[in-house]
Amino acid sequence: MEMRKINILRNYQLFPAGSVLIEMGNTKVICSATVQEGTPPFLKNVEQGWLTAEYGMLPSAPNSRFRREASSGKISGRTAEIQRLIGRSLRTILDLSKIPGYTILIDCDVIQADGGTRTASITGACVALHDAIQMMLAQNMISENPMKELVAAISVGIVDGEVKLDLNYQEDSQAETDMNVVMTESGKFVEIQGTAETNPFDSAQLTEMLEAAKFGIDALLKAQQRVIQKK
Amino acid sequence: MEMRKINILRNYQLFPAGSVLIEMGNTKVICSATVQEGTPPFLKNVEQGWLTAEYGMLPSAPNSRFRREASSGKISGRTAEIQRLIGRSLRTILDLSKIPGYTILIDCDVIQADGGTRTASITGACVALHDAIQMMLAQNMISENPMKELVAAISVGIVDGEVKLDLNYQEDSQAETDMNVVMTESGKFVEIQGTAETNPFDSAQLTEMLEAAKFGIDALLKAQQRVIQKK
Amino acid sequence: MEMRKINILRNYQLFPAGSVLIEMGNTKVICSATVQEGTPPFLKNVEQGWLTAEYGMLPSAPNSRFRREASSGKISGRTAEIQRLIGRSLRTILDLSKIPGYTILIDCDVIQADGGTRTASITGACVALHDAIQMMLAQNMISENPMKELVAAISVGIVDGEVKLDLNYQEDSQAETDMNVVMTESGKFVEIQGTAETNPFDSAQLTEMLEAAKFGIDALLKAQQRVIQKK
Amino acid sequence: MEMRKINILRNYQLFPAGSVLIEMGNTKVICSATVQEGTPPFLKNVEQGWLTAEYGMLPSAPNSRFRREASSGKISGRTAEIQRLIGRSLRTILDLSKIPGYTILIDCDVIQADGGTRTASITGACVALHDAIQMMLAQNMISENPMKELVAAISVGIVDGEVKLDLNYQEDSQAETDMNVVMTESGKFVEIQGTAETNPFDSAQLTEMLEAAKFGIDALLKAQQRVIQKK
Amino acid sequence: MEMRKINILRNYQLFPAGSVLIEMGNTKVICSATVQEGTPPFLKNVEQGWLTAEYGMLPSAPNSRFRREASSGKISGRTAEIQRLIGRSLRTILDLSKIPGYTILIDCDVIQADGGTRTASITGACVALHDAIQMMLAQNMISENPMKELVAAISVGIVDGEVKLDLNYQEDSQAETDMNVVMTESGKFVEIQGTAETNPFDSAQLTEMLEAAKFGIDALLKAQQRVIQKK
Amino acid sequence: MEMRKINILRNYQLFPAGSVLIEMGNTKVICSATVQEGTPPFLKNVEQGWLTAEYGMLPSAPNSRFRREASSGKISGRTAEIQRLIGRSLRTILDLSKIPGYTILIDCDVIQADGGTRTASITGACVALHDAIQMMLAQNMISENPMKELVAAISVGIVDGEVKLDLNYQEDSQAETDMNVVMTESGKFVEIQGTAETNPFDSAQLTEMLEAAKFGIDALLKAQQRVIQKK
């Protein structure tokens, strides 16, 4: 099982509480975490905080120019799906009752797109979230660490009948099946999204894909742990 | 393993080529299939047809009134996600090269919502699609049947630590994990979307959920086959 | 004077306070009434309630597929006009000072369209409104019945020089003049909207159309009274 | 029967083919007619022209500032209704088969609003349309006059139980019933829109309102004829 | 240096606090000032008022019909730019701390467009603002005059290598460089916006354009002073 | 006269024809140039190409999070203004008749914002444009170099009565006057946009600001020339 070179750079931007540049091969995403006071209306009268995520792509990021969503006046279904996935994945590892009154905004902006931008976003955003939480603890905004464990994500697929890990754009566009897996340090699943693009897949293939994903997630979690330990 | 009462009513509406009312317990969805000439711009110069799906919910359908999306001026992320899922699932069982020059539009409109509306939509739409295809064959619009096999979908989840099949709204809102599974008559997976809402799930739970889903899908496929055989 | 078969089915949906399926021949509309706390901003400091209506059409309802308004991102002029007409017609028979602090939302969703959808909406919604009011009285949300009388609506037109009642889609598209009439149990006019599509009409034709409308409204009021008396 | 002072000023703007300032008391509307080549998509393969109308109001026109519709990003239901009414009324007096290949755009922009802006728009736009037609004939764009006769519009209502003609803003906001009537030179109805705002009206009141409207329309048609005869 | 005929008509509309029709040759703009209670959210906790401006153009105003921005559902970049310029220019001459709790809305609506509509808007709006301020003082809404001095604006450009003042539409569309200058009574610059459309300009040309602008501004300030002195 | 450290990094992204990261102190902008076949509708029948620019800012770029424009569903007036400025500035140095049939899209995306983002965008985009042109020449898409000379931009302002070059965010927010100047290698002005935020400025101050701008532009042009000469 091979995967692309992982690179995680902390403190990438000056202003956000947490800011990370993550590279998975040629895919590059800036992930930031901003802390705001207040929570959304649906949490009125509930003693907890919230985390929400937004995802964007520079028009110049992919190999053929991407129409700017601000110009088209609406977010595509694909963008909406990815934003919801990132938000859900990070909320699962966060004890929201420990950040009462705060909303953490995650921004994932792809500056170069070569496959796997949504999974890179989750992996990178987890580190940015960690740094924002550390800032909140340091400034006594919260008293306990709400982060239960790390989370990372990887794509896996079936290309020409073979299971393949961490697909780049070209592999992804040829894949018969495409699966995104989000897992925690404790080895549990947060999200499995498997889609047969052309041919349905059977149980044996499912098992093989999940094993490959586990292998990739382990490597990503190690990379996260490494950069987090550095001060 | 228990699931709710399934009811599939064909020829529900007068005008569309295929029209089905599907009921899964209290959940009721009108699924229709309309055939149009022409294909989307991205298929220019490609000798194949297309299938696309739209999903809506009457404001009066759920247990607390749903804000009409036409009024808010945009489709929510949830609606976009569901539309894409329905379209992908049905395209997988269709040989698009056998409907060249045509687009089949699937409309799934929920008139009563009690959990599992997206999976009921796929199961019902599959029958509406079948009927539209029969019309196309009868009118010599196409010469070969493009439908490779039937497809059906079911939700499964973990509620209070127990695997539960075909969740209603109340169960769904308490579920720790929620999974939608789309499978074909040949027993293969078209789509697996498993999401840990609060607690991540482990491999054993994943296996148990997939088995429950298989059981439910079999019942749905039988119900589809039964109504299709009636003339 | 002939009109199409009228069918009014109460308690059609599970969740709204009032829910009716009305059929006028092949035209079928789901009408519901939902009660919400609060009133619109323009009633701040006024001791009264409000009623507002929304109208929609399933894409699969008419004989050629209707573009979903949620997708186009805006409500058409036609929809806006119909929504305003339904709301005005029902407000006229309601003493809004007797529902202070509440807004009643009427949803009329056409599931099959064969002419006369806006008038069927008013006639059906009147029954759904009645049921919602009964619920409000039963739950002591209000102390007096705010409904002054019933209201019903019918279309009438001139087709090939002849006055015709309750036009179906084909008649409507050939009509030289098209008129919608909304009347109360007490035999008064709430709304008259007469439009010459191709040829202007004279006073004699106007008189004849109003008489036909009166005949149709009487039949509709009887149908409403019949279903309301059933428990 | 009294009505407000009518003033119709032709050639008000420099650029449009027809341009009129119409004043009904304090209500002032600029009505213009622009001729464009081409017809809307739904007339493809039909040998006729088209006429469409747009209506706007300067934010500074009414007695309390009107939110600019360009800023709110959509046209209100009221504006949509008025635009459709103006367009329908003018199309009724036009033989569209005599302007094949052309679309006439009517713009009615209210610069001062004191009641009756939609009826003033129709009356003024009819003169602007006449002038645009004359230009088309003069430039040999068309060979026959497509205008069958003039059309004018007036509002009438019931205020304090009395029928009142040509209501200003204050009267209109107190009216129990409000009716807009559009009639042709030949004394026929093009449109009747009567709305009970608070109390339904009976047949006798309807008759009285229609008589008052006839009186007002006659005065407006004379004013139109007078200015048109001037070169 | 020649410029077009200036005409400023006060009290043009009935309802706004200040209302002016300004004509610069064939260019005609209605400028109004409306006073509203309240200030925008970003001034919460700041003891001052605000002034904001909106700009619009009747579709019938320019020599080829302008697409109505309310119909297109958004304001163009050009409109946004002009609105911001008008607002900034007028705020510069206003001591906002002297109108605490109030927002003045400026509406500039072009009813005939022949070049220089944005500069005519500023010059006309300054007089409308003056009249609104006088009303505020007369009604004791404010105690001190917040208007520090008058402001006026003119366009200047280079056409065929020659500096030209107050360009009409045809000159403007041929100009190599186009500059809008906003100046105060005290002879200072509020805004300089010089744009090379085709050929960059040098320092000598810049100096010459600024001198021409100064000449034009002086004439405009005199016209403003003249109409303001009339009661 | 001091200005911030300039850094221009070519070939920053993998996919666009030209891609530059420009840093002015803490301000960082990714500027890319993409070449597309086809020209906008208004150039139909004109034998020339086109260049257009878009500008965006990552939500995480400024010192307080910026609301994502794709989410708000529209581009702000500020963004529209900047996009138009970048496009105009680059078109001035380009002979559009030498790129017939092509459109060059410039994307300027701010990844860190500390003042002067629009001027940094122009300066960086000029280098990205240069690289895209070189690619077009190398691939024989065009036969002659359409770039007449380089262009660069800088901000200058008056802070506490003193002329200041290349303002950072804090200086910019305190500035009494803010001016953006765009100049060519040949020392001519492409654009001057001077705005008095609080106090109008006089001729002497204008002269001093233009001199400072000239000094800054010279430094920027040298930096551009330096990176361009490297292969």
Side-chain angles (χ1 to χ4, degrees):
Chain A
M1 274 302 129
E2 257 177 283
M3 63 192 293
R4 298 180 290 178
K5 194 157 178 300
I6 307 163
N7 195 19
I8 302 176
L9 203 61
R10 272 164 88 198
N11 303 318
Y12 186 69
Q13 291 162 298
L14 205 57
F15 300 116
S19 171
V20 158
L21 175 71
I22 183 166
E23 305 183 355
M24 298 285 291
N26 282 326
T27 289
K28 300 185 188 189
V29 187
I30 299 177
C31 306
S32 71
T34 304
V35 182
Q36 291 188 340
E37 296 201 8
T39 54
F42 64 84
L43 288 181
K44 209 170 55 169
N45 307 323
V46 185
E47 188 62 6
Q48 66 162 85
W50 192 243
L51 176 147
T52 185
E54 290 188 6
Y55 168 94
M57 191 183 280
L58 295 202
S60 51
N63 79 336
S64 115
R65 189 179 177 274
F66 178 73
R67 183 156 166 25
R68 196 176 288 267
E69 294 196 320
S71 303
S72 71
K74 58 179 156 185
I75 278 177
S76 71
R78 178 186 173 275
T79 294
E81 241 179 78
I82 295 175
Q83 296 190 153
R84 287 155 58 87
L85 172 63
I86 300 169
R88 273 199 317 268
S89 297
L90 296 174
R91 282 194 298 273
T92 307
I93 55 148
L94 214 55
D95 183 342
L96 294 168
S97 71
K98 291 186 179 160
I99 54 165
Y102 292 105
T103 295
I104 300 178
L105 288 109
I106 300 296
D107 285 292
C108 297
D109 284 276
V110 179
I111 63 174
Q112 199 158 274
D114 188 31
T117 63
R118 80 185 71 187
T119 47
S121 293
I122 293 168
T123 307
C126 178
V127 178
L129 174 59
H130 168 272
D131 289 352
I133 295 285
Q134 291 305 314
M135 179 280 283
M136 291 174 87
L137 287 164
Q139 301 196 359
N140 294 317
M141 294 164 77
I142 53 175
S143 54
E144 274 182 283
N145 191 336
M147 214 163 157
K148 296 182 277 191
E149 54 182 329
L150 294 177
V151 70
I154 195 80
S155 78
V156 59
I158 302 175
V159 184
D160 289 333
E162 300 279 301
V163 169
K164 187 100 191 52
L165 181 63
D166 188 24
L167 287 66
N168 65 21
Y169 175 75
Q170 203 193 324
E171 292 162 345
D172 187 57
S173 55
Q174 296 171 336
E176 292 121 47
T177 285
D178 177 27
M179 180 173 276
N180 293 300
V181 180
V182 186
M183 291 184 81
T184 62
E185 272 180 303
S186 57
K188 291 192 170 172
F189 296 103
V190 169
E191 189 101 19
I192 297 176
Q193 292 195 341
T195 298
E197 299 291 342
T198 48
N199 303 324
F201 53 97
D202 61 28
S203 291
Q205 289 173 311
L206 173 60
T207 304
E208 203 183 339
M209 284 191 284
L210 291 175
E211 272 163 20
K214 181 93 181 61
F215 175 89
I217 297 273
D218 282 342
L220 290 165
L221 287 164
K222 284 207 187 85
Q224 289 175 326
Q225 288 154 353
R226 225 166 17 236
V227 296
I228 282 173
Q229 273 145 25
K230 282 188 217 145
K231 272 290 146 181
Chain B
M1 274 300 130
E2 259 178 279
M3 64 190 294
R4 299 180 291 178
K5 193 157 179 299
I6 307 164
N7 195 19
I8 301 177
L9 204 61
R10 273 165 85 197
N11 302 318
Y12 186 69
Q13 291 162 299
L14 204 59
F15 300 116
S19 171
V20 158
L21 174 71
I22 183 167
E23 304 182 358
M24 299 286 291
N26 282 324
T27 289
K28 300 185 188 187
V29 187
I30 300 176
C31 306
S32 71
T34 304
V35 181
Q36 290 187 341
E37 295 200 9
T39 54
F42 65 83
L43 288 180
K44 209 170 54 170
N45 307 324
V46 184
E47 187 63 6
Q48 66 161 84
W50 191 243
L51 177 147
T52 186
E54 291 188 4
Y55 168 94
M57 190 183 281
L58 295 203
S60 51
N63 77 337
S64 112
R65 186 177 179 274
F66 178 73
R67 182 155 165 31
R68 195 175 289 269
E69 295 197 318
S71 302
S72 71
K74 57 179 155 183
I75 278 177
S76 70
R78 179 185 173 274
T79 293
E81 240 179 80
I82 295 175
Q83 297 190 153
R84 287 155 58 88
L85 171 63
I86 300 169
R88 275 200 314 268
S89 297
L90 296 174
R91 283 194 299 271
T92 308
I93 57 149
L94 214 54
D95 184 341
L96 294 169
S97 71
K98 291 187 180 159
I99 54 165
Y102 292 105
T103 295
I104 300 178
L105 287 108
I106 300 296
D107 284 292
C108 297
D109 285 276
V110 180
I111 63 174
Q112 199 158 275
D114 188 31
T117 64
R118 80 185 70 187
T119 48
S121 293
I122 292 168
T123 307
C126 178
V127 177
L129 174 60
H130 168 272
D131 288 353
I133 295 286
Q134 292 303 314
M135 180 279 284
M136 292 174 86
L137 286 164
Q139 300 196 0
N140 295 317
M141 294 163 78
I142 53 175
S143 52
E144 273 181 283
N145 191 336
M147 216 162 157
K148 296 182 276 190
E149 54 182 328
L150 295 177
V151 71
I154 194 79
S155 78
V156 60
I158 302 175
V159 184
D160 289 333
E162 299 280 299
V163 167
K164 187 103 191 50
L165 181 63
D166 189 23
L167 287 67
N168 65 21
Y169 175 74
Q170 202 193 325
E171 291 162 345
D172 187 57
S173 56
Q174 297 171 334
E176 291 122 48
T177 285
D178 177 28
M179 179 173 276
N180 294 301
V181 179
V182 186
M183 292 184 79
T184 62
E185 272 180 304
S186 57
K188 292 194 171 171
F189 296 104
V190 169
E191 189 103 17
I192 297 176
Q193 292 196 339
T195 298
E197 299 291 340
T198 48
N199 302 325
F201 53 97
D202 61 26
S203 291
Q205 289 172 312
L206 174 59
T207 303
E208 204 184 335
M209 285 191 285
L210 291 174
E211 272 163 19
K214 180 94 181 61
F215 174 90
I217 297 272
D218 282 343
L220 290 165
L221 287 164
K222 284 208 185 85
Q224 288 175 327
Q225 288 153 353
R226 228 169 11 239
V227 297
I228 282 173
Q229 274 146 25
K230 282 189 217 144
K231 274 289 146 182
Chain C
M1 275 300 131
E2 257 177 282
M3 64 193 292
R4 298 179 291 177
K5 195 160 176 298
I6 306 163
N7 195 19
I8 302 177
L9 203 61
R10 273 164 88 198
N11 303 317
Y12 186 69
Q13 291 162 299
L14 204 57
F15 299 115
S19 172
V20 158
L21 173 70
I22 182 166
E23 305 182 356
M24 299 283 294
N26 282 325
T27 289
K28 300 185 188 188
V29 187
I30 299 177
C31 306
S32 72
T34 303
V35 182
Q36 291 188 340
E37 295 199 10
T39 53
F42 65 84
L43 288 181
K44 209 170 55 170
N45 306 323
V46 185
E47 187 64 7
Q48 66 160 86
W50 191 242
L51 177 147
T52 186
E54 291 188 4
Y55 168 95
M57 190 182 283
L58 295 203
S60 51
N63 78 337
S64 115
R65 187 177 179 274
F66 177 74
R67 183 157 166 26
R68 197 175 286 269
E69 295 196 321
S71 302
S72 71
K74 57 179 157 184
I75 279 177
S76 70
R78 178 184 173 276
T79 294
E81 241 179 78
I82 295 175
Q83 298 191 151
R84 287 155 58 87
L85 171 64
I86 300 168
R88 273 199 317 266
S89 297
L90 295 175
R91 282 194 298 273
T92 307
I93 56 148
L94 213 56
D95 183 341
L96 294 168
S97 70
K98 293 186 179 160
I99 54 165
Y102 292 106
T103 295
I104 300 177
L105 287 109
I106 301 296
D107 284 294
C108 297
D109 284 278
V110 179
I111 63 173
Q112 199 158 276
D114 188 31
T117 64
R118 79 185 69 188
T119 48
S121 293
I122 292 168
T123 307
C126 179
V127 177
L129 174 60
H130 168 271
D131 288 354
I133 295 285
Q134 292 304 314
M135 180 280 283
M136 291 174 86
L137 287 164
Q139 300 197 358
N140 295 317
M141 294 164 78
I142 53 174
S143 53
E144 273 182 283
N145 192 336
M147 214 163 157
K148 295 182 278 191
E149 55 181 329
L150 295 177
V151 70
I154 194 79
S155 78
V156 60
I158 302 175
V159 184
D160 289 333
E162 299 280 299
V163 168
K164 186 103 190 51
L165 182 62
D166 188 24
L167 287 66
N168 65 22
Y169 175 74
Q170 202 194 325
E171 292 162 345
D172 187 57
S173 56
Q174 296 171 335
E176 292 121 47
T177 285
D178 177 27
M179 179 172 278
N180 294 301
V181 180
V182 187
M183 292 183 81
T184 62
E185 272 179 303
S186 57
K188 291 193 171 173
F189 296 103
V190 168
E191 189 100 20
I192 297 175
Q193 292 196 340
T195 298
E197 298 291 341
T198 46
N199 303 325
F201 52 98
D202 61 28
S203 292
Q205 289 172 312
L206 173 60
T207 303
E208 203 182 340
M209 285 190 284
L210 291 175
E211 272 163 19
K214 182 94 180 60
F215 174 90
I217 297 271
D218 283 342
L220 290 165
L221 288 165
K222 284 207 187 86
Q224 289 175 326
Q225 288 154 353
R226 225 165 17 235
V227 297
I228 283 173
Q229 275 146 25
K230 283 188 217 146
K231 273 288 146 183
Chain D
M1 275 299 131
E2 258 178 279
M3 62 192 294
R4 297 180 292 178
K5 192 156 179 298
I6 307 163
N7 195 18
I8 301 176
L9 203 60
R10 273 165 86 198
N11 303 317
Y12 185 69
Q13 290 163 299
L14 205 56
F15 300 116
S19 171
V20 157
L21 174 70
I22 182 167
E23 304 183 356
M24 299 285 292
N26 281 326
T27 289
K28 299 185 187 187
V29 187
I30 299 178
C31 306
S32 71
T34 304
V35 182
Q36 290 188 340
E37 295 201 8
T39 54
F42 64 83
L43 288 182
K44 208 170 57 170
N45 307 323
V46 185
E47 187 64 5
Q48 66 162 84
W50 191 244
L51 176 147
T52 186
E54 292 188 5
Y55 168 94
M57 191 182 282
L58 295 203
S60 51
N63 77 336
S64 113
R65 189 177 177 274
F66 178 73
R67 182 154 166 31
R68 196 176 288 268
E69 295 197 319
S71 302
S72 70
K74 57 178 156 185
I75 279 178
S76 70
R78 179 185 173 274
T79 294
E81 241 180 76
I82 295 176
Q83 295 190 153
R84 287 156 57 88
L85 171 63
I86 299 169
R88 274 200 315 269
S89 297
L90 295 175
R91 282 195 298 272
T92 307
I93 56 150
L94 214 56
D95 183 341
L96 293 168
S97 70
K98 293 187 178 158
I99 54 165
Y102 292 106
T103 296
I104 301 177
L105 288 109
I106 300 295
D107 284 293
C108 298
D109 285 277
V110 179
I111 62 173
Q112 199 157 278
D114 189 30
T117 62
R118 80 185 69 187
T119 47
S121 293
I122 293 168
T123 308
C126 178
V127 177
L129 173 60
H130 168 273
D131 289 353
I133 295 286
Q134 291 304 314
M135 180 280 283
M136 290 174 86
L137 286 165
Q139 300 195 0
N140 295 318
M141 294 163 77
I142 52 174
S143 53
E144 273 180 284
N145 192 337
M147 215 163 158
K148 296 182 277 191
E149 54 183 328
L150 295 177
V151 70
I154 194 79
S155 79
V156 59
I158 303 175
V159 184
D160 289 333
E162 299 280 300
V163 168
K164 186 102 191 54
L165 182 63
D166 188 25
L167 287 67
N168 65 21
Y169 175 75
Q170 202 193 325
E171 291 162 344
D172 187 57
S173 56
Q174 296 171 333
E176 291 122 48
T177 286
D178 178 27
M179 179 173 275
N180 293 301
V181 180
V182 186
M183 292 183 80
T184 61
E185 271 181 304
S186 57
K188 292 192 170 173
F189 296 103
V190 168
E191 190 103 16
I192 298 177
Q193 293 196 338
T195 299
E197 299 291 342
T198 47
N199 303 324
F201 52 97
D202 60 27
S203 290
Q205 288 173 312
L206 173 60
T207 304
E208 202 183 339
M209 284 191 285
L210 291 175
E211 271 162 21
K214 180 93 179 63
F215 175 90
I217 296 274
D218 282 343
L220 289 166
L221 287 165
K222 285 207 186 86
Q224 288 175 327
Q225 288 154 352
R226 225 166 17 236
V227 296
I228 282 173
Q229 274 145 25
K230 281 188 218 145
K231 271 292 147 181
Chain E
M1 275 300 133
E2 258 177 280
M3 64 192 293
R4 297 180 293 177
K5 194 157 177 299
I6 307 163
N7 194 19
I8 301 176
L9 203 60
R10 274 164 88 196
N11 303 317
Y12 185 69
Q13 290 162 299
L14 205 57
F15 299 115
S19 171
V20 157
L21 174 71
I22 183 167
E23 304 182 356
M24 299 284 292
N26 281 326
T27 289
K28 299 184 188 188
V29 187
I30 299 177
C31 307
S32 72
T34 304
V35 182
Q36 291 189 339
E37 295 201 9
T39 55
F42 64 84
L43 288 181
K44 208 170 57 171
N45 306 322
V46 185
E47 187 64 5
Q48 66 161 85
W50 192 244
L51 177 147
T52 186
E54 291 187 6
Y55 168 94
M57 191 182 281
L58 295 202
S60 51
N63 78 337
S64 113
R65 189 179 177 272
F66 177 73
R67 184 156 165 26
R68 196 175 288 266
E69 295 197 321
S71 303
S72 71
K74 57 179 158 185
I75 278 177
S76 71
R78 179 185 173 274
T79 294
E81 242 180 76
I82 294 176
Q83 296 190 154
R84 287 157 57 89
L85 171 64
I86 299 170
R88 273 200 316 267
S89 296
L90 295 174
R91 282 194 299 273
T92 308
I93 56 149
L94 213 56
D95 184 342
L96 294 167
S97 71
K98 292 186 179 160
I99 54 166
Y102 292 105
T103 295
I104 300 177
L105 288 109
I106 300 295
D107 285 293
C108 297
D109 285 277
V110 179
I111 62 174
Q112 198 158 275
D114 188 30
T117 63
R118 78 185 71 188
T119 47
S121 293
I122 293 168
T123 307
C126 178
V127 176
L129 174 60
H130 168 272
D131 289 354
I133 295 285
Q134 291 305 314
M135 180 279 283
M136 292 174 87
L137 286 164
Q139 300 196 359
N140 293 318
M141 294 163 77
I142 52 174
S143 54
E144 274 181 282
N145 191 337
M147 214 162 157
K148 296 182 277 191
E149 54 182 328
L150 295 176
V151 69
I154 194 80
S155 79
V156 60
I158 302 176
V159 185
D160 290 332
E162 299 280 301
V163 169
K164 186 101 191 53
L165 182 63
D166 188 24
L167 286 67
N168 65 21
Y169 175 74
Q170 202 194 325
E171 291 161 345
D172 187 56
S173 56
Q174 297 171 333
E176 291 122 48
T177 285
D178 177 26
M179 180 173 276
N180 293 300
V181 179
V182 187
M183 292 183 81
T184 61
E185 271 180 304
S186 57
K188 292 192 171 173
F189 296 103
V190 168
E191 189 100 18
I192 297 176
Q193 292 196 339
T195 299
E197 300 290 341
T198 46
N199 303 326
F201 53 96
D202 62 27
S203 291
Q205 288 172 312
L206 173 59
T207 304
E208 203 182 340
M209 285 191 284
L210 291 175
E211 271 162 20
K214 181 93 179 64
F215 174 89
I217 297 273
D218 283 343
L220 290 165
L221 287 165
K222 284 207 187 86
Q224 289 175 325
Q225 288 154 351
R226 225 167 16 235
V227 295
I228 283 172
Q229 273 146 25
K230 281 189 217 146
K231 271 289 147 181
Chain F
M1 275 298 130
E2 258 177 281
M3 64 192 293
R4 297 180 293 177
K5 193 158 178 297
I6 307 163
N7 195 19
I8 301 176
L9 203 61
R10 274 166 86 196
N11 302 319
Y12 186 69
Q13 291 162 299
L14 205 57
F15 300 115
S19 172
V20 158
L21 174 71
I22 183 166
E23 304 182 356
M24 299 285 292
N26 282 325
T27 289
K28 300 185 187 188
V29 187
I30 299 177
C31 306
S32 72
T34 304
V35 181
Q36 291 188 339
E37 295 200 11
T39 54
F42 65 82
L43 287 181
K44 207 169 57 170
N45 307 324
V46 185
E47 187 63 9
Q48 67 162 84
W50 190 243
L51 177 147
T52 185
E54 290 187 6
Y55 168 95
M57 191 182 282
L58 295 203
S60 51
N63 78 336
S64 112
R65 188 179 177 273
F66 178 73
R67 182 155 166 31
R68 197 176 287 269
E69 294 197 320
S71 302
S72 70
K74 56 180 157 184
I75 279 178
S76 70
R78 178 185 173 275
T79 294
E81 241 180 77
I82 295 175
Q83 296 189 154
R84 288 156 57 87
L85 171 63
I86 299 169
R88 274 200 314 268
S89 296
L90 295 175
R91 283 194 298 273
T92 308
I93 57 149
L94 214 55
D95 183 341
L96 294 168
S97 70
K98 292 186 179 160
I99 54 165
Y102 292 105
T103 296
I104 301 177
L105 288 109
I106 300 295
D107 284 294
C108 296
D109 284 277
V110 179
I111 63 173
Q112 199 158 275
D114 189 30
T117 64
R118 80 186 68 188
T119 47
S121 293
I122 293 168
T123 307
C126 178
V127 177
L129 173 60
H130 168 270
D131 288 354
I133 295 286
Q134 292 304 312
M135 181 280 284
M136 292 174 86
L137 286 165
Q139 301 196 359
N140 294 317
M141 293 163 77
I142 52 174
S143 53
E144 273 181 283
N145 191 337
M147 216 162 156
K148 296 182 275 190
E149 55 182 327
L150 295 176
V151 70
I154 194 79
S155 79
V156 60
I158 302 175
V159 184
D160 289 332
E162 299 281 299
V163 168
K164 187 100 190 55
L165 182 62
D166 188 23
L167 286 68
N168 65 21
Y169 175 74
Q170 202 194 324
E171 292 162 345
D172 187 56
S173 55
Q174 297 171 334
E176 292 123 46
T177 284
D178 178 26
M179 179 173 275
N180 293 302
V181 180
V182 186
M183 292 183 80
T184 62
E185 272 181 304
S186 57
K188 291 192 171 173
F189 296 103
V190 168
E191 189 102 17
I192 298 175
Q193 293 196 338
T195 298
E197 299 291 340
T198 47
N199 303 324
F201 53 97
D202 61 26
S203 291
Q205 288 172 312
L206 173 60
T207 303
E208 203 183 338
M209 285 191 284
L210 291 175
E211 271 163 20
K214 181 93 180 61
F215 174 90
I217 297 273
D218 282 342
L220 289 165
L221 287 164
K222 283 205 187 87
Q224 289 175 326
Q225 288 153 352
R226 224 163 21 233
V227 296
I228 283 173
Q229 274 145 26
K230 283 188 218 147
K231 271 290 147 182

